Amino acid sequence: ETGVTQSPTHLIKTRGQQVTLRCSSQSGHNTVSWYQQALGQGPQFIFQYYREEENGRGNFPPRFSGLQFPNYSSELNVNALELDDSALYLCASSPVLLDNEQFFGPGTRLTVL
Amino acid sequence: QKEVEQNSGPLSVPEGAIASLNCTYSDRGSQSFFWYRQYSGKSPELIMSIYSNGDKEDGRFTAQLNKASQYVSLLIRDSQPSDSATYLCAVPPGAGSYQLTFGKGTKLSVIP
């Protein structure tokens, strides 16, 4: 059974640029959630996708957007990067909708200069 | 605002002792509760889930839930240096919610 994978592992961008992060869910999992984890904090929910539709969103501005593909993989896009966007971005997958047992990928460390 | 509170620590215990980690949550509608372990520089790993009042044991780990007091705890028996990590409590804010609200985590250090 393949776990959740994310790419890239590290990324450095400058303020104002755009970034796309990618996630492949665990085999058999159809729900993907994205979280942002700043240093010393717990993960903060960004949004969740189920069957290619956004299924819920946390307190993040519209410049954070996402997609889910038919194979349940997902992308997180962030436009107009700000310094405070520097964080670990985590993707988590669940086997069914509303099953809150979520399994995390290794994360993407984004640094905005 | 739905909140999950944890003592940030650090919590230091000697090897072989019991480590006790605590978490309180604000939403009485929450129905499921999770403990994640996060090693430095790594992503969170689900170690325990609990849905009913009382205790749930899995190896050296015991999760305890008291919905009336809005309190969930994690006990680690026979603590090992490899248990040194940050432990995150996660709670969906209300029945049927699809997101997890995390506490800031408690950093545990097990001293050999």
Side-chain angles (χ1 to χ4, degrees):
Chain A
E1 184 177 87
T2 305
V4 180
T5 61
Q6 292 185 244
S7 63
T9 54
H10 295 88
L11 202 53
I12 299 174
K13 292 285 190 178
T14 56
R15 198 170 48 180
Q17 286 188 310
Q18 179 266 342
V19 68
T20 297
L21 310 181
R22 294 179 173 84
C23 170
S24 291
S25 61
Q26 186 166 327
S27 177
H29 289 191
N30 59 18
T31 304
V32 172
S33 303
W34 286 92
Y35 292 82
Q36 180 196 66
Q37 187 177 24
L39 203 61
Q41 303 294 314
Q44 297 282 318
F45 175 74
I46 303 175
F47 42 57
Q48 184 184 78
Y49 278 85
Y50 171 67
R51 292 186 176 179
E52 304 175 56
E53 298 280 336
E54 186 180 291
N55 189 55
R57 187 178 184 92
N59 189 26
F60 280 81
R63 59 189 186 84
F64 286 77
S65 63
L67 285 172
Q68 187 181 32
F69 301 100
N71 65 355
Y72 305 131
S73 65
S74 178
E75 287 183 354
L76 164 65
N77 299 289
V78 187
N79 295 321
L81 284 166
E82 300 177 0
L83 297 179
D84 284 348
D85 295 333
S86 295
L88 180 67
Y89 287 85
L90 296 160
C91 170
S93 71
S94 309
V96 294
L97 180 64
L98 300 185
D99 181 344
N100 291 115
E101 283 201 355
Q102 299 184 13
F103 299 90
F104 285 89
T108 294
R109 173 71 63 185
L110 173 64
T111 301
V112 182
L113 302 176
Chain B
Q1 179 162 346
K2 315 301 182 185
E3 291 187 349
V4 176
E5 300 285 344
Q6 293 182 256
N7 187 329
S8 61
L11 173 66
S12 293
V13 300
E15 184 174 355
I18 296 175
S20 178
L21 305 161
N22 304 314
C23 172
T24 59
Y25 59 94
S26 63
D27 193 332
R28 288 193 172 274
S30 297
Q31 297 295 314
S32 52
F33 308 86
F34 304 91
W35 282 99
Y36 285 82
R37 176 176 63 198
Q38 187 171 27
Y39 292 114
S40 181
K42 302 295 186 182
S43 63
E45 174 192 9
L46 179 64
I47 55 171
M48 288 289 284
S49 57
I50 186 166
Y51 301 89
S52 304
N53 276 331
D55 295 359
K56 178 182 178 182
E57 187 175 316
D58 184 0
R60 295 186 297 111
F61 298 98
T62 299
Q64 299 175 317
L65 174 61
N66 184 327
K67 289 185 179 179
S69 300
Q70 294 175 248
Y71 176 91
V72 57
S73 64
L74 179 71
L75 301 178
I76 306 175
R77 291 182 302 281
D78 188 23
S79 295
Q80 301 297 309
S82 59
D83 295 325
S84 298
T86 295
Y87 289 81
L88 297 161
C89 174
V91 181
S97 176
Y98 35 69
Q99 68 182 78
L100 293 176
T101 299
F102 283 83
K104 290 185 177 180
T106 298
K107 185 170 183 178
L108 172 66
S109 292
V110 180
I111 312 301

